[in-house]
Amino acid sequence: MHEVLSELGVRSDLLDPQQLVELDELGFCRFDTFLDRARVEAAMAELERLLAGSGRQGGTLHLRGLLEAGPVFDAFWLRPRLLAAVRHLLGPEFRVDEMHYRAGTPEHGGQALHRDSPERAGPGRWQVCTAIVALTDFTPENGSTRVVPGSHLDWGFVAPRGHEDHPDQVLLSGPAGTAWLFNSHVWHSGTRNNSSGTRHAVLTGFHRRGAATTLFDEQPADGTIARLGSAAYLLM
């Protein structure tokens, strides 16, 4: 996979030293202006079209299978800097797992703190990480994702009951187009949307090859392979 990543422009010097420190010590890092305004608007237009045909949804809106939903979503994961950060966490032998849309409507979206892998791991053995892209401003009021920095390194971590706050939690807040990559062994969750608008986000999961859990095992469609090219296809 070294050759595949190199063909996609992935280099270790693409990340700021501070981002590497944050990934290791805090368990997450931030990418400002990951998507420009035009890409955000194009993605929202396509998501609204897909939602219209998806049938009735609950208080938290979901759409899965976005890896194959068209070129508008390629920029959410096929980016050298993001893939360099994924490689830093998981090593070169990783694959993109699944891309989905999650949006908490007003008074919804809250979750209990959780990890995405039940396995204990450590540096050099992390199994899963997740990129989240804000398609609307993430604020403390509208259901931003919360993470507990450093909890991926704390095997004795005890999560609060239900949706209660943790004293060390941090809310990921920033303008639309901001992205974060977090180690999915970090304790994290969505929070309740206490605003009057829906909080839109797209999440892309990556996992180390050979990890027990994968959501994207089917062969990509021929059109997807043709669009992305052979190098990107090998990451799927």
Side-chain angles (χ1 to χ4, degrees), residues 10 14-15 31 34 75-87 94 130-131 133 179-181 204 206:
V10 178
L14 294 177
L15 297 174
F31 297 88
F34 185 77
F76 284 71
W77 73 280
L78 201 53
R79 307 285 288 277
R81 287 188 72 206
L82 175 64
L83 295 176
V86 174
R87 182 175 65 179
F94 69 85
T130 302
V133 181
W180 295 264
L181 180 73
T204 305
F206 301 86

PDB file of all heavy atoms in Angstrom, residues 10 14-15 31 34 75-87 94 130-131 133 179-181 204 206:
ATOM      1  N   VAL A  10       0.186  11.048  -0.994  1.00  0.00           N
ATOM      2  CA  VAL A  10       0.246  11.021   0.466  1.00  0.00           C
ATOM      3  C   VAL A  10       1.707  11.022   0.906  1.00  0.00           C
ATOM      4  O   VAL A  10       2.478  10.131   0.551  1.00  0.00           O
ATOM      5  CB  VAL A  10      -0.476   9.773   1.022  1.00  0.00           C
ATOM      6  CG1 VAL A  10      -0.374   9.727   2.537  1.00  0.00           C
ATOM      7  CG2 VAL A  10      -1.935   9.784   0.580  1.00  0.00           C
ATOM      8  N   LEU A  14       3.062  16.332   4.893  1.00  0.00           N
ATOM      9  CA  LEU A  14       1.850  17.115   4.648  1.00  0.00           C
ATOM     10  C   LEU A  14       1.204  17.594   5.942  1.00  0.00           C
ATOM     11  O   LEU A  14       0.411  18.537   5.931  1.00  0.00           O
ATOM     12  CB  LEU A  14       0.835  16.288   3.854  1.00  0.00           C
ATOM     13  CG  LEU A  14       1.232  15.920   2.422  1.00  0.00           C
ATOM     14  CD1 LEU A  14       0.162  15.034   1.804  1.00  0.00           C
ATOM     15  CD2 LEU A  14       1.436  17.177   1.582  1.00  0.00           C
ATOM     16  N   LEU A  15       1.512  16.945   7.052  1.00  0.00           N
ATOM     17  CA  LEU A  15       0.886  17.288   8.325  1.00  0.00           C
ATOM     18  C   LEU A  15       1.790  18.199   9.130  1.00  0.00           C
ATOM     19  O   LEU A  15       3.019  18.047   9.137  1.00  0.00           O
ATOM     20  CB  LEU A  15       0.591  16.022   9.131  1.00  0.00           C
ATOM     21  CG  LEU A  15      -0.407  15.056   8.494  1.00  0.00           C
ATOM     22  CD1 LEU A  15      -0.486  13.778   9.314  1.00  0.00           C
ATOM     23  CD2 LEU A  15      -1.780  15.691   8.375  1.00  0.00           C
ATOM     24  N   PHE A  31      -8.731  20.012  10.591  1.00  0.00           N
ATOM     25  CA  PHE A  31      -8.360  20.530   9.276  1.00  0.00           C
ATOM     26  C   PHE A  31      -9.279  21.707   8.960  1.00  0.00           C
ATOM     27  O   PHE A  31     -10.465  21.507   8.677  1.00  0.00           O
ATOM     28  CB  PHE A  31      -8.503  19.450   8.204  1.00  0.00           C
ATOM     29  CG  PHE A  31      -7.611  18.265   8.393  1.00  0.00           C
ATOM     30  CD1 PHE A  31      -8.029  17.186   9.164  1.00  0.00           C
ATOM     31  CD2 PHE A  31      -6.355  18.218   7.809  1.00  0.00           C
ATOM     32  CE1 PHE A  31      -7.208  16.085   9.347  1.00  0.00           C
ATOM     33  CE2 PHE A  31      -5.534  17.120   7.982  1.00  0.00           C
ATOM     34  CZ  PHE A  31      -5.956  16.056   8.757  1.00  0.00           C
ATOM     35  N   PHE A  34     -11.366  22.534   5.119  1.00  0.00           N
ATOM     36  CA  PHE A  34     -11.200  21.258   4.427  1.00  0.00           C
ATOM     37  C   PHE A  34     -12.018  21.237   3.147  1.00  0.00           C
ATOM     38  O   PHE A  34     -11.580  20.737   2.112  1.00  0.00           O
ATOM     39  CB  PHE A  34     -11.621  20.127   5.362  1.00  0.00           C
ATOM     40  CG  PHE A  34     -11.400  18.746   4.834  1.00  0.00           C
ATOM     41  CD1 PHE A  34     -10.127  18.196   4.826  1.00  0.00           C
ATOM     42  CD2 PHE A  34     -12.455  17.977   4.366  1.00  0.00           C
ATOM     43  CE1 PHE A  34      -9.910  16.905   4.349  1.00  0.00           C
ATOM     44  CE2 PHE A  34     -12.251  16.702   3.889  1.00  0.00           C
ATOM     45  CZ  PHE A  34     -10.972  16.160   3.880  1.00  0.00           C
ATOM     46  N   ALA A  75     -14.295  14.202  -2.430  1.00  0.00           N
ATOM     47  CA  ALA A  75     -13.408  15.127  -1.714  1.00  0.00           C
ATOM     48  C   ALA A  75     -13.504  14.991  -0.204  1.00  0.00           C
ATOM     49  O   ALA A  75     -12.681  15.568   0.517  1.00  0.00           O
ATOM     50  CB  ALA A  75     -13.722  16.572  -2.114  1.00  0.00           C
ATOM     51  N   PHE A  76     -14.469  14.224   0.288  1.00  0.00           N
ATOM     52  CA  PHE A  76     -14.598  14.032   1.726  1.00  0.00           C
ATOM     53  C   PHE A  76     -13.555  13.067   2.274  1.00  0.00           C
ATOM     54  O   PHE A  76     -13.329  13.027   3.475  1.00  0.00           O
ATOM     55  CB  PHE A  76     -15.998  13.513   2.073  1.00  0.00           C
ATOM     56  CG  PHE A  76     -17.065  14.555   2.028  1.00  0.00           C
ATOM     57  CD1 PHE A  76     -17.494  15.088   0.825  1.00  0.00           C
ATOM     58  CD2 PHE A  76     -17.658  15.018   3.203  1.00  0.00           C
ATOM     59  CE1 PHE A  76     -18.480  16.050   0.776  1.00  0.00           C
ATOM     60  CE2 PHE A  76     -18.654  15.976   3.172  1.00  0.00           C
ATOM     61  CZ  PHE A  76     -19.062  16.496   1.952  1.00  0.00           C
ATOM     62  N   TRP A  77     -12.947  12.272   1.401  1.00  0.00           N
ATOM     63  CA  TRP A  77     -11.958  11.307   1.898  1.00  0.00           C
ATOM     64  C   TRP A  77     -10.710  11.189   1.047  1.00  0.00           C
ATOM     65  O   TRP A  77      -9.645  10.888   1.557  1.00  0.00           O
ATOM     66  CB  TRP A  77     -12.591   9.920   2.038  1.00  0.00           C
ATOM     67  CG  TRP A  77     -12.873   9.206   0.743  1.00  0.00           C
ATOM     68  CD1 TRP A  77     -13.929   9.405  -0.100  1.00  0.00           C
ATOM     69  CD2 TRP A  77     -12.059   8.193   0.134  1.00  0.00           C
ATOM     70  NE1 TRP A  77     -13.842   8.577  -1.186  1.00  0.00           N
ATOM     71  CE2 TRP A  77     -12.700   7.817  -1.065  1.00  0.00           C
ATOM     72  CE3 TRP A  77     -10.866   7.569   0.488  1.00  0.00           C
ATOM     73  CZ2 TRP A  77     -12.197   6.849  -1.926  1.00  0.00           C
ATOM     74  CZ3 TRP A  77     -10.350   6.595  -0.364  1.00  0.00           C
ATOM     75  CH2 TRP A  77     -11.017   6.244  -1.555  1.00  0.00           C
ATOM     76  N   LEU A  78     -10.825  11.463  -0.233  1.00  0.00           N
ATOM     77  CA  LEU A  78      -9.709  11.244  -1.142  1.00  0.00           C
ATOM     78  C   LEU A  78      -8.824  12.492  -1.186  1.00  0.00           C
ATOM     79  O   LEU A  78      -8.695  13.172  -2.200  1.00  0.00           O
ATOM     80  CB  LEU A  78     -10.238  10.887  -2.527  1.00  0.00           C
ATOM     81  CG  LEU A  78      -9.285  10.156  -3.467  1.00  0.00           C
ATOM     82  CD1 LEU A  78      -8.693   8.914  -2.820  1.00  0.00           C
ATOM     83  CD2 LEU A  78     -10.004   9.785  -4.757  1.00  0.00           C
ATOM     84  N   ARG A  79      -8.213  12.778  -0.036  1.00  0.00           N
ATOM     85  CA  ARG A  79      -7.405  13.983   0.141  1.00  0.00           C
ATOM     86  C   ARG A  79      -6.055  13.583   0.745  1.00  0.00           C
ATOM     87  O   ARG A  79      -6.021  12.910   1.786  1.00  0.00           O
ATOM     88  CB  ARG A  79      -8.113  14.969   1.069  1.00  0.00           C
ATOM     89  CG  ARG A  79      -9.547  15.294   0.660  1.00  0.00           C
ATOM     90  CD  ARG A  79      -9.572  16.222  -0.541  1.00  0.00           C
ATOM     91  NE  ARG A  79      -9.157  17.556  -0.191  1.00  0.00           N
ATOM     92  CZ  ARG A  79      -9.973  18.473   0.344  1.00  0.00           C
ATOM     93  NH1 ARG A  79     -11.242  18.183   0.592  1.00  0.00           N
ATOM     94  NH2 ARG A  79      -9.526  19.673   0.622  1.00  0.00           N
ATOM     95  N   PRO A  80      -4.947  13.980   0.145  1.00  0.00           N
ATOM     96  CA  PRO A  80      -3.641  13.539   0.640  1.00  0.00           C
ATOM     97  C   PRO A  80      -3.383  13.846   2.116  1.00  0.00           C
ATOM     98  O   PRO A  80      -2.854  12.997   2.844  1.00  0.00           O
ATOM     99  CB  PRO A  80      -2.654  14.271  -0.273  1.00  0.00           C
ATOM    100  CG  PRO A  80      -3.402  14.453  -1.548  1.00  0.00           C
ATOM    101  CD  PRO A  80      -4.828  14.715  -1.129  1.00  0.00           C
ATOM    102  N   ARG A  81      -3.745  15.038   2.586  1.00  0.00           N
ATOM    103  CA  ARG A  81      -3.461  15.379   3.987  1.00  0.00           C
ATOM    104  C   ARG A  81      -4.270  14.503   4.938  1.00  0.00           C
ATOM    105  O   ARG A  81      -3.758  14.037   5.960  1.00  0.00           O
ATOM    106  CB  ARG A  81      -3.765  16.850   4.261  1.00  0.00           C
ATOM    107  CG  ARG A  81      -2.760  17.823   3.667  1.00  0.00           C
ATOM    108  CD  ARG A  81      -3.022  19.227   4.149  1.00  0.00           C
ATOM    109  NE  ARG A  81      -2.645  19.376   5.558  1.00  0.00           N
ATOM    110  CZ  ARG A  81      -3.192  20.276   6.364  1.00  0.00           C
ATOM    111  NH1 ARG A  81      -4.165  21.077   5.930  1.00  0.00           N
ATOM    112  NH2 ARG A  81      -2.792  20.377   7.610  1.00  0.00           N
ATOM    113  N   LEU A  82      -5.528  14.280   4.608  1.00  0.00           N
ATOM    114  CA  LEU A  82      -6.349  13.424   5.460  1.00  0.00           C
ATOM    115  C   LEU A  82      -5.801  12.000   5.466  1.00  0.00           C
ATOM    116  O   LEU A  82      -5.667  11.378   6.531  1.00  0.00           O
ATOM    117  CB  LEU A  82      -7.800  13.432   4.981  1.00  0.00           C
ATOM    118  CG  LEU A  82      -8.744  12.486   5.727  1.00  0.00           C
ATOM    119  CD1 LEU A  82      -8.869  12.885   7.189  1.00  0.00           C
ATOM    120  CD2 LEU A  82     -10.111  12.444   5.067  1.00  0.00           C
ATOM    121  N   LEU A  83      -5.479  11.485   4.297  1.00  0.00           N
ATOM    122  CA  LEU A  83      -4.972  10.120   4.233  1.00  0.00           C
ATOM    123  C   LEU A  83      -3.620   9.994   4.933  1.00  0.00           C
ATOM    124  O   LEU A  83      -3.301   8.945   5.496  1.00  0.00           O
ATOM    125  CB  LEU A  83      -4.870   9.664   2.782  1.00  0.00           C
ATOM    126  CG  LEU A  83      -6.214   9.543   2.038  1.00  0.00           C
ATOM    127  CD1 LEU A  83      -5.978   9.171   0.576  1.00  0.00           C
ATOM    128  CD2 LEU A  83      -7.127   8.530   2.701  1.00  0.00           C
ATOM    129  N   ALA A  84      -2.830  11.068   4.921  1.00  0.00           N
ATOM    130  CA  ALA A  84      -1.567  11.050   5.669  1.00  0.00           C
ATOM    131  C   ALA A  84      -1.831  10.930   7.161  1.00  0.00           C
ATOM    132  O   ALA A  84      -1.103  10.231   7.884  1.00  0.00           O
ATOM    133  CB  ALA A  84      -0.762  12.308   5.366  1.00  0.00           C
ATOM    134  N   ALA A  85      -2.878  11.608   7.639  1.00  0.00           N
ATOM    135  CA  ALA A  85      -3.233  11.513   9.058  1.00  0.00           C
ATOM    136  C   ALA A  85      -3.756  10.124   9.400  1.00  0.00           C
ATOM    137  O   ALA A  85      -3.443   9.574  10.461  1.00  0.00           O
ATOM    138  CB  ALA A  85      -4.268  12.582   9.407  1.00  0.00           C
ATOM    139  N   VAL A  86      -4.550   9.556   8.501  1.00  0.00           N
ATOM    140  CA  VAL A  86      -5.031   8.181   8.716  1.00  0.00           C
ATOM    141  C   VAL A  86      -3.848   7.219   8.787  1.00  0.00           C
ATOM    142  O   VAL A  86      -3.780   6.347   9.663  1.00  0.00           O
ATOM    143  CB  VAL A  86      -6.014   7.765   7.599  1.00  0.00           C
ATOM    144  CG1 VAL A  86      -6.387   6.295   7.739  1.00  0.00           C
ATOM    145  CG2 VAL A  86      -7.265   8.637   7.625  1.00  0.00           C
ATOM    146  N   ARG A  87      -2.903   7.372   7.865  1.00  0.00           N
ATOM    147  CA  ARG A  87      -1.724   6.497   7.874  1.00  0.00           C
ATOM    148  C   ARG A  87      -0.937   6.655   9.172  1.00  0.00           C
ATOM    149  O   ARG A  87      -0.396   5.673   9.698  1.00  0.00           O
ATOM    150  CB  ARG A  87      -0.830   6.790   6.673  1.00  0.00           C
ATOM    151  CG  ARG A  87       0.392   5.879   6.611  1.00  0.00           C
ATOM    152  CD  ARG A  87       1.213   6.090   5.357  1.00  0.00           C
ATOM    153  NE  ARG A  87       1.815   7.413   5.298  1.00  0.00           N
ATOM    154  CZ  ARG A  87       2.598   7.829   4.310  1.00  0.00           C
ATOM    155  NH1 ARG A  87       2.849   7.022   3.281  1.00  0.00           N
ATOM    156  NH2 ARG A  87       3.102   9.041   4.315  1.00  0.00           N
ATOM    157  N   PHE A  94      -4.367   0.190   5.465  1.00  0.00           N
ATOM    158  CA  PHE A  94      -5.716   0.535   5.895  1.00  0.00           C
ATOM    159  C   PHE A  94      -6.617   0.639   4.681  1.00  0.00           C
ATOM    160  O   PHE A  94      -6.160   0.671   3.541  1.00  0.00           O
ATOM    161  CB  PHE A  94      -5.728   1.853   6.683  1.00  0.00           C
ATOM    162  CG  PHE A  94      -5.429   3.083   5.851  1.00  0.00           C
ATOM    163  CD1 PHE A  94      -6.437   3.733   5.154  1.00  0.00           C
ATOM    164  CD2 PHE A  94      -4.140   3.582   5.781  1.00  0.00           C
ATOM    165  CE1 PHE A  94      -6.165   4.870   4.390  1.00  0.00           C
ATOM    166  CE2 PHE A  94      -3.851   4.713   5.015  1.00  0.00           C
ATOM    167  CZ  PHE A  94      -4.867   5.350   4.326  1.00  0.00           C
ATOM    168  N   THR A 130     -11.948   7.921  12.354  1.00  0.00           N
ATOM    169  CA  THR A 130     -13.110   8.507  11.684  1.00  0.00           C
ATOM    170  C   THR A 130     -12.846   9.963  11.333  1.00  0.00           C
ATOM    171  O   THR A 130     -12.351  10.725  12.167  1.00  0.00           O
ATOM    172  CB  THR A 130     -14.349   8.436  12.590  1.00  0.00           C
ATOM    173  OG1 THR A 130     -14.612   7.074  12.937  1.00  0.00           O
ATOM    174  CG2 THR A 130     -15.578   9.024  11.893  1.00  0.00           C
ATOM    175  N   ALA A 131     -13.192  10.335  10.106  1.00  0.00           N
ATOM    176  CA  ALA A 131     -13.161  11.740   9.693  1.00  0.00           C
ATOM    177  C   ALA A 131     -14.584  12.270   9.712  1.00  0.00           C
ATOM    178  O   ALA A 131     -15.502  11.622   9.186  1.00  0.00           O
ATOM    179  CB  ALA A 131     -12.569  11.872   8.297  1.00  0.00           C
ATOM    180  N   VAL A 133     -16.839  15.720   8.766  1.00  0.00           N
ATOM    181  CA  VAL A 133     -16.828  16.996   8.057  1.00  0.00           C
ATOM    182  C   VAL A 133     -18.119  17.743   8.381  1.00  0.00           C
ATOM    183  O   VAL A 133     -19.223  17.212   8.196  1.00  0.00           O
ATOM    184  CB  VAL A 133     -16.708  16.793   6.533  1.00  0.00           C
ATOM    185  CG1 VAL A 133     -16.686  18.145   5.821  1.00  0.00           C
ATOM    186  CG2 VAL A 133     -15.455  15.998   6.197  1.00  0.00           C
ATOM    187  N   ALA A 179     -13.031  19.987   9.076  1.00  0.00           N
ATOM    188  CA  ALA A 179     -13.000  18.539   9.269  1.00  0.00           C
ATOM    189  C   ALA A 179     -12.128  18.204  10.466  1.00  0.00           C
ATOM    190  O   ALA A 179     -11.221  18.959  10.832  1.00  0.00           O
ATOM    191  CB  ALA A 179     -12.461  17.836   8.026  1.00  0.00           C
ATOM    192  N   TRP A 180     -12.424  17.075  11.078  1.00  0.00           N
ATOM    193  CA  TRP A 180     -11.607  16.533  12.159  1.00  0.00           C
ATOM    194  C   TRP A 180     -11.372  15.057  11.860  1.00  0.00           C
ATOM    195  O   TRP A 180     -12.256  14.370  11.349  1.00  0.00           O
ATOM    196  CB  TRP A 180     -12.315  16.636  13.504  1.00  0.00           C
ATOM    197  CG  TRP A 180     -12.568  18.021  13.992  1.00  0.00           C
ATOM    198  CD1 TRP A 180     -11.802  18.753  14.856  1.00  0.00           C
ATOM    199  CD2 TRP A 180     -13.695  18.859  13.678  1.00  0.00           C
ATOM    200  NE1 TRP A 180     -12.368  19.978  15.090  1.00  0.00           N
ATOM    201  CE2 TRP A 180     -13.530  20.069  14.374  1.00  0.00           C
ATOM    202  CE3 TRP A 180     -14.824  18.689  12.859  1.00  0.00           C
ATOM    203  CZ2 TRP A 180     -14.445  21.104  14.287  1.00  0.00           C
ATOM    204  CZ3 TRP A 180     -15.737  19.717  12.756  1.00  0.00           C
ATOM    205  CH2 TRP A 180     -15.544  20.911  13.471  1.00  0.00           C
ATOM    206  N   LEU A 181     -10.209  14.576  12.193  1.00  0.00           N
ATOM    207  CA  LEU A 181      -9.946  13.138  12.193  1.00  0.00           C
ATOM    208  C   LEU A 181      -9.726  12.739  13.636  1.00  0.00           C
ATOM    209  O   LEU A 181      -8.902  13.343  14.329  1.00  0.00           O
ATOM    210  CB  LEU A 181      -8.716  12.790  11.368  1.00  0.00           C
ATOM    211  CG  LEU A 181      -8.398  11.288  11.344  1.00  0.00           C
ATOM    212  CD1 LEU A 181      -9.405  10.544  10.467  1.00  0.00           C
ATOM    213  CD2 LEU A 181      -6.977  11.018  10.871  1.00  0.00           C
ATOM    214  N   THR A 204     -16.652   9.583   7.663  1.00  0.00           N
ATOM    215  CA  THR A 204     -15.998   8.530   6.901  1.00  0.00           C
ATOM    216  C   THR A 204     -15.134   7.707   7.835  1.00  0.00           C
ATOM    217  O   THR A 204     -14.292   8.257   8.553  1.00  0.00           O
ATOM    218  CB  THR A 204     -15.121   9.120   5.779  1.00  0.00           C
ATOM    219  OG1 THR A 204     -15.908   9.985   4.965  1.00  0.00           O
ATOM    220  CG2 THR A 204     -14.536   8.009   4.917  1.00  0.00           C
ATOM    221  N   PHE A 206     -12.327   4.672   8.613  1.00  0.00           N
ATOM    222  CA  PHE A 206     -11.175   3.955   8.074  1.00  0.00           C
ATOM    223  C   PHE A 206     -10.788   2.874   9.078  1.00  0.00           C
ATOM    224  O   PHE A 206     -10.920   3.080  10.291  1.00  0.00           O
ATOM    225  CB  PHE A 206      -9.977   4.897   7.889  1.00  0.00           C
ATOM    226  CG  PHE A 206     -10.233   6.054   6.963  1.00  0.00           C
ATOM    227  CD1 PHE A 206     -10.803   7.227   7.436  1.00  0.00           C
ATOM    228  CD2 PHE A 206      -9.898   5.974   5.622  1.00  0.00           C
ATOM    229  CE1 PHE A 206     -11.033   8.307   6.592  1.00  0.00           C
ATOM    230  CE2 PHE A 206     -10.126   7.050   4.770  1.00  0.00           C
ATOM    231  CZ  PHE A 206     -10.695   8.216   5.249  1.00  0.00           C
TER     232      PHE A 206
END
